[in-house]
Amino acid sequence: MAELQFREAIRAAMVEEMERDDRIFLIGEEVAEYNGAYKVSEGMLEQFGAKRIIDTPISENGFSGLGIGAAMNGLRPIVEFMTFNFSFVAIDQIINNAAKIRYMSGGQFKVPIVFRGPNGAAGQLAATHNTSTESIYATIPGLKVVCPSNPNDAKGLLKASIRDENPVVFLESEVMYGLKGEVSDEEDYVLPLGKAHVVREGEDVTIVAHGKSYWIALKVADRLKEEGYGAEVIDPRTIRPFDIETVVESIKKTNRCVIIDESNPFASISSEIAFQIQERAFDWLDAPIARITAKDVPAPYAKNLIDYYMPQEDDAYEACKRVMYAD
Amino acid sequence: MPMAKQARKTAASPRKTTASKAGAGSGSSTGTKNGTENPNDLPAEIKIDITFPVYAAGAYSHKDVGVDEDTVMSMYRNMLLQRRFEERAAQMYGKQKIAGFLHLYIGQEAISTGTATAINIGQDSVITAYRDHGHGLALGMTANECMAELFGRIDGSSRGKGGSMHYFSKKHGFFGGHGIVGAHVPVGIGIAFAHKYKEDGGVSISFFGDGAVGQGAIHEASNLASLYDLPAILVVENNQYAMGTAIHRAFAETQFTHHAVGYDMTAALVDGMDVFAVTKAMQDHAKLAREGKPSMLEIRTYRYRGHSMSDPQKYRTKEELEAKQNEDPIIRLKKYIIDNGISGADALDAMDDEVKQEVLDSVDFADNSPVPDLSTIYEDVYEEDDYPYLA
Ligand SMILES: Cc1ncc(C[n+]2csc(CCOP(=O)(O)OP(=O)(O)O)c2C)c(N)n1
Ligand SMILES: [Mg+2]
């Protein structure tokens, strides 16, 4: 096991894959000469050269489409968005082209491409720079959506995403890039997409949380443990396809579920998960499913407001107590 | 349907004037525009021959732009206010009174002040990107409301909701600072559309960076402005870099005025380190805009600070930066004022002290302004006060 920062784990995944497959290239703003806006691709220009590590103008729509065309024509692009807020400039390419061309061509063309970059809130950046996009992309058939919470998963899941034959939206986080964690040094460490991870086992409540929210879940689980409650923490890791079986198995044991999701609540990941749970595990539930999300408003700038906007640990803790009727 | 526009243009507003020094003339071209009345009649060759004016530094006195000495002094004060405000904001960022992104306009102040001098504030409209403090202050936003916004306080211009990148001031016709590169430019064209629709005589000026020229939105907006003969000016504030990317690394065509040719618009190149050159260019093109002739200006400028607060600036040399600092638009105007006997160094220094005090006061104001009440998070999302938010 090596200790790596999140950004280093992402880089390691890209580097390893690029070493084994020369059809892979990385394209995006400031990825080459500047070494990445968040230093994720540091050193990659030096290693792979300008043919494969490609700086672009601020043309998300253009270079996303370029990636899709290149994928249709036999290459395997990794498209980096400086942040996923800017993917909205390219959302037509992602939704109408990447996701649908396989289908519309009756399977003649496939689009093996990874769109990756930081997603979600990152502090006092105000409304346009703080969007959690997972719910938006996960609604689109044809896309896979991956959202790792730690360096180890990030590496294994990104390698799987790069090898996947479908378009994958791979969501990272600015505020987690510096996070360190043990990363497997298995020669070829690939984690399958669509498999959730039961990180902690417990009998009393199931907490489902992806990405940054996973860390809130762990803290809540710690607090509950001190009080003698066992929280089972599940990190879905892949948002689409969603591993509902693992969640349902857990709920059959705990009979309670709290979802922590950084997206805005309306028609979000948490709505979807809650729907699937009630469909498959209604009879096992002893309490309504609770969710903690961002507030139902755009992200504000002021420190106190953005803190309030984000899912709160205290709220998640209280929700767990509530569904256990222990409050 | 290119012919539709051509037929319309030929009938309504043929654009064939010859270029002159600062006459804001458009150009003339042959081939694509002429002699193709019948789409099947091909010209012998395509020839494009267009001249656009250049507004050079030092080419205009204050009299040339029709401003009196008092106005020159207030222009100077206006530029100083932007400079001192941002210097202080940078310091406050270091003290963590301000967070998130803080993009400083330092070095580019002649553009905002020249524009504010040339237009009718209140009647005309301005929209820009996230590097917006200069434009806001130039148009008349107060240091107090601007600093309080950076501090995330309730007395900020956007009640603490927008922060540095999102200054707005409706009463000054300032349609905002905007965070997504290029995305505000079609909006600027829409503002022009409304001016025309309402026949209120207003002009809409959309500022964007060199980097934004890479966005399709700019090109769609340019075509729409020209197609609909909107009272619009599209302004590239070419400060040579988009984050760490020098223009020649991002653009096949770095002469941004050339884009205007493709949209049958007039254009001009302006030295953005001279406030009078900017003023003159804006006056000329605002006049054209009011006649329904949109235009594209490339204003050459330079940002002295990093892109935002955390930029190691490895993409440029110290020598390059120093050379540009010698062209500082504020120092240039100061020298102009002294050389032309408009005022003396002492009076200018006193003015500087006064501005510094105004900025210090704004820090006090911001510090004393309350943080927004948590309930305000649910305000200004919808028109209705009773919207059923999900809790
Ligand atoms: C669509 C989009 N892509 C990327 C970004 C990130 N970004 C913010 S500013 C910037 C550089 C813009 O440069 P330029 O347009 O020249 O303006 P300047 O910063 O020089 O004023 C980039 C890439 C963004 N805000 N929006
Ligand atoms: Mg620039």
Side-chain angles (χ1 to χ4, degrees), chain A residues 30 33-34 55 57-60 82 86 89 124-126 128-129 266 291 295-298 300-302 304-305 308-309, chain B residues 98-100 149-150 152 160-163 165-166 179-180 214-215 242-245 249-250 311 371-372 377-378 389-390:
Chain A
E30 311 282 3
E33 291 195 15
Y34 198 77
D55 277 329
I58 311 170
S59 306
E60 288 85 359
M82 192 174 277
F86 315 140
V89 173
Q124 289 182 259
L125 304 182
T128 55
H129 283 57
F266 200 99
R291 65 171 169 182
K295 298 278 181 293
D296 191 17
V297 299
Y301 166 75
N304 66 324
L305 293 184
Y308 179 59
Y309 168 88
Chain B
I98 301 169
E149 188 59 32
L150 299 183
K161 293 249 175 73
M165 300 194 288
H166 307 108
I180 302 300
Q215 286 286 326
M243 285 195 171
T245 304
R249 295 208 299 116
D311 175 0
V371 299
I377 203 169
Y378 291 110
Y389 294 98
L390 294 179

Side-chain angles (χ1 to χ4, degrees), chain A residues 281-325:
Chain A
F282 183 77
D283 290 337
W284 277 276
L285 285 173
D286 282 349
I289 299 161
R291 65 171 169 182
I292 309 301
T293 66
K295 298 278 181 293
D296 191 17
V297 299
Y301 166 75
K303 169 103 176 72
N304 66 324
L305 293 184
I306 186 70
D307 287 348
Y308 179 59
Y309 168 88
M310 296 296 289
Q312 300 293 311
E313 181 191 318
D314 282 349
D315 291 342
Y317 166 80
E318 275 153 29
C320 289
K321 297 290 284 276
R322 201 165 61 241
V323 300
M324 295 189 297
Y325 302 113

Side-chain angles (χ1 to χ4, degrees), chain A residues 10-310:
Chain A
I10 303 267
R11 185 189 313 143
M14 290 195 287
V15 167
E16 286 178 21
E17 292 305 297
M18 287 184 70
E19 282 170 344
R20 50 180 288 284
D21 184 345
D22 64 12
R23 296 169 302 170
I24 302 170
F25 64 95
L26 172 68
I27 188 165
E29 290 156 30
E30 311 282 3
V31 297
E33 291 195 15
Y34 198 77
N35 279 309
Y38 297 98
K39 301 293 169 249
V40 171
S41 55
E42 188 153 36
M44 289 179 68
L45 173 64
E46 206 181 325
Q47 181 177 353
F48 296 105
K51 180 180 176 191
R52 298 180 68 194
I53 307 294
I54 304 159
D55 277 329
T56 65
I58 311 170
S59 306
E60 288 85 359
N61 189 31
F63 66 73
S64 297
L66 182 155
I68 292 164
M72 291 172 70
N73 199 13
L75 303 185
R76 303 187 72 90
I78 303 172
V79 172
E80 176 175 308
F81 292 120
M82 192 174 277
T83 80
F84 261 88
N85 300 290
F86 315 140
S87 74
F88 293 159
V89 173
I91 203 163
D92 174 55
Q93 290 295 343
I94 302 170
I95 292 183
N96 273 328
N97 288 342
K100 296 172 185 165
I101 280 175
R102 177 193 291 268
Y103 195 70
M104 293 188 298
S105 70
Q108 295 180 74
F109 287 100
K110 61 183 178 182
V111 186
I113 188 170
V114 175
F115 298 101
R116 52 154 289 273
N119 170 61
Q124 289 182 259
L125 304 182
T128 55
H129 283 57
N130 260 333
T131 308
S132 291
T133 62
E134 52 269 53
S135 304
I136 296 166
Y137 288 118
T139 194
I140 303 299
L143 297 179
K144 292 186 180 178
V145 180
V146 179
C147 188
S149 66
N150 63 78
N152 187 61
D153 290 359
K155 182 173 177 195
L157 292 168
L158 182 53
K159 283 170 68 90
S161 300
I162 294 169
R163 291 183 197 185
D164 204 275
E165 298 298 338
N166 304 287
V168 178
V169 172
F170 190 91
L171 303 169
E172 303 157 15
S173 157
E174 276 126 296
V175 296
M176 287 204 295
Y177 278 142
L179 183 92
K180 285 188 174 166
E182 296 291 324
V183 175
S184 165
D185 38 31
E186 220 175 274
E187 168 111 352
D188 193 23
Y189 184 64
V190 183
L191 281 172
L193 303 188
K195 277 261 149 279
H197 182 202
V198 181
V199 189
R200 286 238 189 131
E201 294 191 17
E203 305 291 322
D204 300 316
V205 60
T206 299
I207 308 178
V208 181
H210 66 274
K212 284 209 291 298
S213 303
Y214 160 81
W215 297 96
I216 300 179
L218 282 191
K219 284 191 199 149
V220 170
D222 285 344
R223 277 168 74 175
L224 292 172
K225 193 172 166 196
E226 278 173 26
E227 298 174 33
Y229 299 108
E232 180 140 310
V233 177
I234 299 180
D235 178 354
R237 300 200 285 206
T238 303
I239 304 294
R240 185 186 184 110
F242 188 81
D243 180 4
I244 189 67
E245 279 77 23
T246 299
V247 174
V248 165
E249 278 317 302
S250 174
I251 288 171
K252 285 182 181 172
K253 183 170 63 169
T254 63
N255 313 109
R256 295 161 162 92
C257 184
V258 172
I259 304 162
I260 314 176
D261 172 14
E262 215 189 281
S263 319
N264 294 116
F266 200 99
S268 73
I269 303 297
S270 54
S271 325
E272 176 62 26
I273 300 173
F275 172 81
Q276 293 195 23
I277 292 171
Q278 66 79 31
E279 190 179 44
R280 296 174 192 225
F282 183 77
D283 290 337
W284 277 276
L285 285 173
D286 282 349
I289 299 161
R291 65 171 169 182
I292 309 301
T293 66
K295 298 278 181 293
D296 191 17
V297 299
Y301 166 75
K303 169 103 176 72
N304 66 324
L305 293 184
I306 186 70
D307 287 348
Y308 179 59
Y309 168 88
M310 296 296 289

